[in-house]
Amino acid sequence: MSAIEQKSPYQIAQEQFDLAAEFMGLEDDLRHVLRVPKRELTTTFPVRMDDGSVKAFTGYRVQHNVTRGPGKGGIRYHQDVTLDEVRALAMWMTWKCAVVNIPFGGAKGGVVVDPTGLSMRELENLTRRFATEISPLIGHDGDIPAPDVNTNQQIMAWLMDTISMHTGHLESAITTGKPLGLGGSLGRADATGRGVSFVVASAAKFLNLDLNGATTVVQGFGNVGSVSATMLHDLGCKIVGISDVNGGICNKDGIDPHALVRHMKKTRTVIDYPGVERISNSELLELPCEILVPAALEKQITADNAARIRPKILAEGANGPTTPEADEILFSNNVFVVPDILANAGGVTVSYFEWVQDLQSFFWNEDEINHRLKLVMDASFQAVNQRAQAHKIPLRLAANILAIERVAEATRLRGIYP
Ligand code: NAD
């Protein structure tokens, strides 16, 4: 792997920012402010385990920018979480919210833990104590967490309940991605994958690619991957390859993702699905196809494999799946890359709808939510793509420029206090 590929996600996020700032001629004063996080909280806290012992865990909450609205971003539970990873994810949240023009800033949180090793009680203890530790930052008008890798609706319910216990009343708008019975929004669970399918449809229309029978590969079959695959299948695409952490499967005649979802409920993996060929995750990414959706991890498409990855459309369901070096190779090969901050923004958009509904205590029906999501995703795609075509630049650079312009304008208008 080359030197650039060794960079941390935070270094990559800053490099992407610098590229956009340079292209748009952003003034130095704003560059200094916008390329680093505003606030960072690191906490090491005790949790009582089931056997009576006490263990210490470390967690982070980073607010990259809160100029356009409260910090917004998920909380990740993973053994590999680092402060640098959380900083990058917080920064990408700032640009993501600005690209789809919702009134939020960017934040992210994480705890260094492998949650698969915890009982439900230990997971609840850890969540409630972490919520207490980050509570000085959290609030419906300050910073609003959401689920991310290995966190879910139940964890959002515990987090919300803990903050509500501190304030003495229900604080439903302090998290999103909650269960429906606690102020969650219809359509939130499918929103990210639905948004991916909307941007793929817009990109296909722009490129004159017929979605009917378009060969499609999806890496990752969790929340984002499974919904993206089923929705693209329903639009007529032929899903020829799918993978999860255990490996990949392919079939040139097509895989029915609805049947695969039912299969997953029984065996919890895609690799033992009948009637398909087994392949590795790296072979999966290089399968010939017209549409590729990476929906698993960061840094999957690098200088090492980018030259062999030749879809017509690459829509980033995951955050940060493509390195800057790979971006250059894909652009020179005419791969139409729809970047993460646009392609997977459907999730935060419906999180915004959830927050609005909670604040108003007035809930919308699912058709209204999906319709409003489509309006936001279609308009954002057009705004980014027009800019990309006008300047003959990649969509990632165009999206970053649009986002940075919006945050920079808000910063100039607010001025520097005092
Ligand atoms: P998830 O935990 O539901 O699913 C992750 C999937 O990736 C699983 O199928 C897992 O088996 C697979 N996977 C893990 N390691 C892998 C590997 N080495 N190779 C191939 N597959 C692997 O997570 P998710 O919510 O679907 O999130 C996936 C990505 O999308 C993350 O980058 C996340 O930050 C991003 N994202 C999620 C949302 C959301 O609303 N859930 C919104 C925006 C972005």
Side-chain angles (χ1 to χ4, degrees):
M1 211 182 261
S2 56
I4 194 165
E5 310 291 304
Q6 309 284 0
K7 288 178 180 164
S8 74
Y10 183 47
Q11 287 170 307
I12 289 174
Q14 287 191 317
E15 192 173 314
Q16 292 166 343
F17 171 80
D18 291 342
L19 205 63
E22 195 57 35
F23 192 92
M24 63 199 279
L26 186 70
E27 58 266 42
D28 280 348
D29 290 356
L30 279 176
R31 286 191 205 201
H32 297 149
V33 177
L34 298 182
R35 82 188 293 279
V36 291
K38 175 185 177 63
R39 270 188 205 114
E40 301 180 349
L41 187 156
T42 299
T43 168
T44 296
F45 56 94
V47 177
R48 177 84 60 196
M49 310 306 281
D50 287 349
D51 64 4
S53 66
V54 172
K55 273 196 186 156
F57 292 88
T58 298
Y60 310 98
R61 185 73 186 171
V62 173
Q63 294 176 348
H64 170 258
N65 192 284
V66 291
T67 306
R68 297 176 71 254
K72 186 82 192 86
I75 289 179
R76 180 174 289 197
Y77 286 175
H78 197 279
Q79 58 277 14
D80 298 334
V81 162
T82 62
L83 180 55
D84 257 10
E85 181 187 51
V86 178
R87 285 172 170 155
L89 291 162
M91 191 159 169
W92 286 326
M93 285 307 298
T94 303
W95 312 138
K96 193 180 298 184
C97 294
V99 158
V100 289
N101 213 1
I102 55 179
F104 285 145
K108 202 82 181 190
V111 177
V112 188
V113 58
D114 176 4
T116 57
L118 299 185
S119 70
M120 280 296 269
R121 182 198 291 261
E122 289 167 342
L123 197 58
E124 180 174 354
N125 288 350
L126 177 137
T127 300
R128 288 187 182 279
R129 182 61 190 248
F130 180 61
T132 304
E133 297 288 334
I134 62 173
S135 62
L137 297 185
I138 304 303
H140 67 261
D141 50 7
D143 186 344
I144 307 147
D148 192 69
V149 174
N150 290 331
T151 55
N152 55 25
Q153 294 188 351
Q154 177 60 70
I155 288 171
M156 291 306 111
W158 288 329
L159 211 143
M160 192 272 274
D161 180 69
T162 304
I163 305 285
S164 299
M165 286 296 114
H166 293 175
T167 55
H169 55 261
L170 181 68
E171 285 269 18
S172 59
I174 67 108
T175 68
T176 59
K178 298 181 295 296
L180 274 180
L182 261 187
S185 177
L186 291 164
R188 174 61 186 90
D190 287 353
T192 307
R194 188 179 295 276
V196 169
S197 75
F198 290 153
V199 296
V200 168
S202 296
K205 193 169 171 202
F206 173 70
L207 298 172
N208 280 323
L209 172 70
D210 186 359
L211 283 185
N212 220 352
T215 50
T216 301
V217 169
V218 179
Q219 184 197 36
F221 205 64
N223 176 297
V224 181
S226 66
V227 177
S228 300
T230 48
M231 295 209 171
L232 289 171
H233 170 269
D234 294 349
L235 289 176
C237 299
K238 183 160 72 169
I239 312 295
V240 293
I242 289 182
S243 69
D244 66 18
V245 66
N246 301 307
I249 55 174
C250 67
N251 184 343
K252 62 179 172 29
D253 296 327
I255 300 165
D256 177 357
H258 293 284
L260 186 59
V261 167
R262 290 194 292 275
H263 174 85
M264 278 275 295
K265 286 196 177 126
K266 284 185 236 145
T267 71
R268 304 204 150 274
T269 181
V270 302
I271 55 170
D272 50 7
Y273 187 66
V276 294
E277 194 186 322
R278 287 271 312 268
I279 52 173
S280 69
N281 252 300
S282 50
E283 288 168 329
L284 178 107
L285 288 172
E286 296 176 20
L287 276 180
C289 64
E290 287 162 302
I291 299 165
L292 172 63
V293 180
L297 297 170
E298 291 134 40
K299 292 172 72 170
Q300 294 299 291
I301 303 169
T302 68
D304 296 336
N305 59 4
R308 296 185 298 279
I309 296 178
R310 299 284 189 111
K312 291 196 168 70
I313 299 169
L314 194 163
E316 295 182 336
N319 286 312
T322 310
T323 65
E325 230 177 5
D327 260 337
E328 282 182 27
I329 297 168
L330 295 168
F331 189 62
S332 64
N333 286 337
N334 282 326
V335 177
F336 191 86
V337 178
V338 187
D340 45 10
I341 61 170
L342 171 62
N344 70 37
V348 76
T349 301
V350 176
S351 275
Y352 165 58
F353 298 162
E354 178 175 337
W355 177 75
V356 170
Q357 292 171 81
D358 288 336
L359 289 178
Q360 298 182 338
S361 297
F362 182 78
F363 290 86
W364 314 345
N365 67 39
E366 193 160 1
D367 284 349
E368 186 167 5
I369 286 158
N370 292 341
H371 173 66
R372 284 175 187 261
L373 173 63
K374 183 162 166 42
L375 292 179
V376 170
M377 296 304 294
D378 288 357
S380 306
F381 177 87
Q382 295 310 336
V384 170
N385 193 36
Q386 273 164 16
R387 201 160 291 214
Q389 301 315 319
H391 296 287
K392 297 188 172 32
I393 55 175
L395 269 76
R396 188 184 317 281
L397 180 55
N400 277 324
I401 291 170
L402 182 64
I404 293 166
E405 264 176 17
R406 287 180 175 153
V407 179
E409 187 197 6
T411 313
R412 287 188 207 101
L413 287 169
R414 286 184 63 166
I416 304 297
Y417 173 86

